[in-house]
Amino acid sequence: MSRRLVITADDLGREAGTTEVIVALLAEGNVTATTLICVSPAAERAASQVAELGVVPRLHVTLTSERGIPRWRPLHGAACLADGDGTLHDDPFVLGARGEARHVMEEADAQLRWMRVRRLAPVAADSHAGTLYGLHGRSWLAETLEWCARHCLAFRLPRDPEPYIGGPLPPRLAQAHEHAVALADALGVALPQTIATNRRTAHELGTYERLRDDYLRRLAALPEGTSELFLHPSREDAVTGPDGVVRAWEARLLRDPVWHDALEKEGVELAGGWWD
């Protein structure tokens, strides 16, 4: 078995600056996939831009807003997902405390329907900010996997979570993860072998070279099978605060000859999805 890697640029449609960078990276062939935030006002234009490249983004199920930009509104409008002003809260832990499974899945349905009405047919879904996993309170993994099976979607849930978490899961989460993987297999929902991303701040990293070295280590440690590396590339001025620095570094990484040389030397085959 060979090592295959899906390189995904998350957050297409977040706002114009991020969309601009992701569209360019797709056109250059520096990423193999992207995910779309349907609840953003910029989603319509973003979807049109990638469609011109022949790219169908995955559905980035989005249940929370992000700090630093105007809050998004849910498409379905369930009260437990929104604040008093009708917008999605920007704290995943608030969602984890008050979200209800039925309303979460109705919102996922609405976002999938938004894509399909626009003749976009995603073959996989994933979770913006990891809110569906139960890392911030309630888990909706079982409901999500059943939803994916109904709609013939693959899902970004790693069979091996350690590269993403950075170590073994706590016992409660480890048991829940084991059950979720077994359920996915029973339902026929395709999963990646593992997933990886940067989870450190610009202050913790210090320099671009440290971020690059970390990704190079992750690349060398990829297991057999198809895994996913997901990044959040953008322009530094498009994302407020230190997050903008890291996102600009990730855009730089994806164009860095050192990164491309490592891909070739490691013999990693690039793929558009883990479900092929």
Side-chain angles (χ1 to χ4, degrees):
M1 185 183 292
S2 62
R3 297 190 301 164
R4 303 173 76 236
L5 181 64
V6 182
I7 303 179
T8 301
D10 267 2
D11 292 355
L12 179 71
R14 179 187 186 273
E15 28 61 35
T18 295
T19 297
E20 173 189 311
V21 170
I22 292 175
V23 170
L25 289 167
L26 284 165
E28 296 158 3
N30 288 319
V31 296
T32 64
T34 188
T35 63
L36 179 64
I37 297 177
C38 296
V39 296
S40 166
E44 194 89 51
R45 173 62 179 150
S48 175
Q49 286 179 279
V50 297
E52 291 175 5
L53 299 174
V55 175
V56 177
R58 298 201 305 264
L59 171 57
H60 205 42
V61 178
T62 303
L63 303 171
T64 54
S65 296
E66 289 195 4
R67 296 180 178 91
I69 56 176
R71 286 188 179 186
W72 300 316
R73 293 180 177 274
L75 300 185
H76 188 264
C80 72
L81 301 183
D83 283 346
D85 62 356
T87 63
L88 296 169
H89 203 280
D90 56 17
D91 185 348
F93 286 98
V94 171
L95 172 71
R98 72 186 186 191
E100 298 176 14
R102 178 170 64 89
H103 294 144
V104 166
M105 302 324 303
E106 286 173 347
E107 179 62 27
D109 262 334
Q111 294 180 22
L112 180 59
R113 188 163 53 250
W114 187 97
M115 293 189 72
R116 289 179 169 171
V117 164
R118 288 155 181 79
R119 298 186 179 181
L120 298 171
V123 294
D126 45 63
S127 176
H128 179 63
T131 51
L132 294 174
Y133 296 146
L135 302 176
H136 309 96
R138 299 178 194 176
S139 168
W140 299 290
L141 271 179
E143 293 87 351
T144 299
L145 291 168
E146 291 166 356
W147 174 80
C148 285
R150 285 197 303 274
H151 293 289
C152 299
L153 298 172
F155 186 64
R156 181 198 279 167
L157 174 71
R159 293 184 178 278
D160 176 5
E162 288 199 19
Y164 175 63
I165 299 296
L169 288 171
R172 180 184 65 84
L173 286 178
Q175 185 178 35
H177 174 265
E178 183 180 348
H179 290 164
V181 170
L183 177 61
D185 288 342
L187 293 170
V189 176
L191 308 177
Q193 183 59 33
T194 193
I195 62 176
T197 193
N198 172 67
R199 298 171 66 84
R200 292 193 286 174
T201 65
H203 177 73
E204 291 167 331
L205 289 163
T207 65
Y208 162 73
E209 287 73 20
R210 287 192 65 185
L211 176 130
R212 183 180 65 186
D213 289 347
D214 184 54
Y215 274 118
L216 292 174
R217 283 193 294 272
R218 292 174 183 275
L219 181 64
L222 285 177
E224 295 288 309
T226 304
S227 300
E228 182 183 16
L229 182 69
F230 63 98
L231 305 91
H232 304 84
S234 184
R235 295 197 321 247
E236 185 173 341
D237 65 342
V239 181
T240 58
D243 283 351
V245 176
V246 174
R247 290 184 182 227
W249 285 350
E250 292 195 326
R252 178 180 171 185
L253 171 82
L254 291 164
R255 295 181 168 116
D256 193 327
V258 174
W259 169 250
H260 288 279
D261 287 346
L263 284 170
E264 184 175 352
K265 289 175 183 175
E266 289 289 340
V268 173
E269 177 188 352
L270 298 186
W274 59 86
W275 51 87
D276 298 334

